[in-house]
Amino acid sequence: MVSLRDFILSVSPISESAWQDINALFQPKLLRKGDYFITEGKTATQIGFICSGIVRAFAKNQNGQEYNKHLFTAPSFIGGYASLITGNINKINQEALTDCELLVADYNKLTALYDKHPDFERVARKLAEFFFAAKEQREIELVMLSAEERYLLFRERMPGLEFEIPLYHIASYLGVSAVQLSRIRKNLAR
Amino acid sequence: MVSLRDFILSVSPISESAWQDINALFQPKLLRKGDYFITEGKTATQIGFICSGIVRAFAKNQNGQEYNKHLFTAPSFIGGYASLITGNINKINQEALTDCELLVADYNKLTALYDKHPDFERVARKLAEFFFAAKEQREIELVMLSAEERYLLFRERMPGLEFEIPLYHIASYLGVSAVQLSRIRKNLAR
DNA sequence: AGCTAATCTTTACATAGGTTAATTTTCTTC
DNA sequence: GAAGAAAATTAACCTATGTAAAGATTAGCT
């Protein structure tokens, strides 16, 4: 159970009055395992904050095959970030893999606070920068590392997570099939 | 030959006084074909803006194999963005593939302007958000599309670029070997 | 505990794509 | 325009990984 306030403050300090305005926009929401926070097809309007639980973000191709773009655990923001930013149709789905406690806010109301609270816009800037750096890192790893190396890295970075959700979700997150991950695990066991 | 001012204004409006302060920090610099703007190993300190020319950003793995993370054409910012943001050691190299006209500034001096000019920090926020959205799109394409589809997309998005730089740089950008790209082109020709 | 569904592994086969090296084509430069 | 260097293609071979289907294992009810 993680606090939104602490999370924001860990990014960049903000005034008490900014926090009050931000906090007022977030409402608690419970997401049951299997529920979706967003689905593709409409422009995203809401941003969520995970207090507890696990959410997967995935894209579907024309054949219906899914790719787990990200596995979110608390504390983190979720929502169709690219769609929120650009206003384009959202192409991402986000599904709870466990029961989740969320805080949910309207993204436009939130960004409307930037004018009043430049310290909050600074939080947003730093977050966007970190998100970018993380994506860049992931991109490099997807291309430069073998699937086995990516799996080992995953276990290091998110220890225990592989026992909380189905392996095929992890395989998809690593960019391989469940069968291939099974082979990799067999190899490592020797 | 593209103007930094126009590029910034296309992201978000800023005051004339902000522009004056920003502009004062940039110095022109000529990069010859083959020259490097940054190399891996040190923390990045400078940010560049491409007025003309082509730059590739690439990562090297332990075997010395290279992966072209990005091909930059004017107008765009270059520099070890992840390193600038996080302060970590830069792991990226950026090499001019043609002669380039750059504008170069000290990144810390530039970000020091955020306090004085919140409208400039807004530019930085929006840029970071767009960079993120672009990376996310690229990640999805790397995983969900075949190499052939990625090549076709590349030709659509950066028309003509394939005739200005060696094909093996494009292959690397697409995440395949030069041999494989050659096969793909042969296939498409039929 | 026992039944059912979900998950994971294994097998068999197909294929995209890597590597190396040889050959051809294109670009530079004198 | 000829010589040499760089780039691109082709061929031969190999491996990682995909797909489909069958089995084995585990988890979730009632």
Side-chain angles (χ1 to χ4, degrees):
Chain A
M1 192 48 175
V2 189
S3 129
L4 172 57
R5 188 163 200 264
D6 289 350
F7 184 69
I8 288 177
L9 289 175
S10 77
V11 175
S12 187
I14 55 170
S15 69
E16 187 57 29
S17 105
W19 165 247
Q20 296 295 341
D21 287 350
I22 294 162
N23 191 231
L25 294 178
F26 279 93
Q27 298 301 323
K29 174 169 187 172
L30 220 93
L31 220 57
R32 293 291 179 72
K33 180 176 174 173
D35 287 352
Y36 282 75
F37 181 61
I38 53 166
T39 53
E40 56 193 309
K42 333 147 205 170
T43 299
T45 62
Q46 291 199 315
I47 187 163
F49 176 76
I50 307 187
C51 302
S52 72
I54 306 171
V55 172
R56 74 178 178 114
F58 66 100
K60 271 192 269 191
N61 71 4
Q62 54 277 32
N63 310 319
Q65 285 167 119
E66 299 178 357
Y67 161 62
N68 282 168
K69 210 172 57 64
H70 203 85
L71 299 173
F72 292 103
T73 56
S76 36
F77 285 106
I78 57 172
Y81 193 51
S83 173
L84 290 170
I85 290 168
T86 61
N88 296 336
I89 299 283
N90 171 51
K91 291 176 199 144
I92 300 301
N93 305 277
Q94 294 183 343
E95 178 195 7
L97 296 181
T98 65
D99 292 354
C100 292
E101 294 169 288
L102 303 184
L103 293 172
V104 177
D106 182 278
Y107 185 71
N108 284 334
K109 286 185 189 161
L110 206 61
T111 57
L113 296 178
Y114 292 157
D115 284 328
K116 188 172 166 197
H117 299 294
D119 49 352
F120 179 48
E121 184 153 21
R122 175 158 300 175
V123 171
R125 170 182 62 84
K126 290 195 175 179
L127 276 175
E129 289 174 347
F130 284 130
F131 292 163
F132 170 83
K135 271 291 169 220
E136 173 164 301
Q137 188 56 33
R138 178 162 168 82
E139 177 201 348
I140 292 174
E141 288 166 6
L142 275 170
V143 176
M144 307 265 284
L145 301 183
S146 68
E148 179 173 311
E149 290 171 308
R150 295 200 300 275
Y151 174 56
L152 291 171
L153 213 52
F154 167 80
R155 292 207 303 196
E156 233 176 273
R157 288 192 190 147
M158 313 189 90
L161 189 53
E162 71 180 316
F163 307 113
E164 298 187 56
I165 61 177
L167 264 183
Y168 57 78
H169 280 319
I170 292 166
S172 170
Y173 176 66
L174 297 175
V176 297
S177 67
V179 172
Q180 183 60 11
L181 180 53
S182 197
R183 287 191 277 238
I184 288 167
R185 284 157 57 88
K186 189 183 182 182
N187 254 321
L188 288 173
R190 262 194 291 104
Chain B
M1 191 47 174
V2 188
S3 129
L4 173 59
R5 189 162 198 266
D6 289 348
F7 185 70
I8 288 178
L9 290 176
S10 77
V11 175
S12 187
I14 55 170
S15 69
E16 187 56 30
S17 106
W19 165 248
Q20 297 295 341
D21 287 350
I22 294 162
N23 191 232
L25 295 179
F26 280 92
Q27 299 301 324
K29 174 167 186 173
L30 221 93
L31 219 58
R32 293 293 178 72
K33 180 175 174 171
D35 287 352
Y36 282 75
F37 181 60
I38 53 168
T39 54
E40 56 193 310
K42 334 148 204 169
T43 299
T45 62
Q46 292 198 315
I47 188 164
F49 176 77
I50 308 187
C51 302
S52 73
I54 306 170
V55 171
R56 74 178 178 115
F58 66 99
K60 271 192 269 193
N61 72 4
Q62 55 277 31
N63 310 321
Q65 284 166 121
E66 299 178 359
Y67 161 62
N68 281 168
K69 210 171 57 64
H70 202 85
L71 300 173
F72 292 102
T73 56
S76 36
F77 285 108
I78 57 173
Y81 193 51
S83 173
L84 290 170
I85 289 167
T86 61
N88 296 336
I89 300 284
N90 171 52
K91 290 175 201 146
I92 300 300
N93 305 278
Q94 294 182 343
E95 178 196 7
L97 296 182
T98 65
D99 291 355
C100 292
E101 294 169 287
L102 302 184
L103 293 172
V104 177
D106 182 279
Y107 185 72
N108 284 334
K109 286 185 189 162
L110 206 60
T111 57
L113 296 178
Y114 292 157
D115 284 328
K116 187 172 165 199
H117 299 294
D119 49 352
F120 180 48
E121 183 153 21
R122 175 158 302 176
V123 171
R125 170 182 62 84
K126 290 195 175 181
L127 277 174
E129 289 174 347
F130 285 128
F131 292 163
F132 170 83
K135 271 292 170 221
E136 173 165 302
Q137 187 56 33
R138 178 163 167 82
E139 177 201 349
I140 292 173
E141 288 166 5
L142 276 171
V143 176
M144 306 266 283
L145 300 184
S146 68
E148 179 175 310
E149 291 170 307
R150 296 201 298 276
Y151 174 56
L152 290 172
L153 214 52
F154 168 79
R155 292 206 303 196
E156 234 177 272
R157 288 195 189 142
M158 312 190 90
L161 189 53
E162 71 180 314
F163 307 113
E164 297 188 56
I165 60 177
L167 264 183
Y168 57 80
H169 280 319
I170 292 166
S172 170
Y173 176 66
L174 297 174
V176 298
S177 66
V179 172
Q180 183 60 10
L181 180 54
S182 198
R183 289 191 276 237
I184 288 168
R185 283 156 58 87
K186 190 182 181 183
N187 254 321
L188 288 173
R190 260 195 293 106

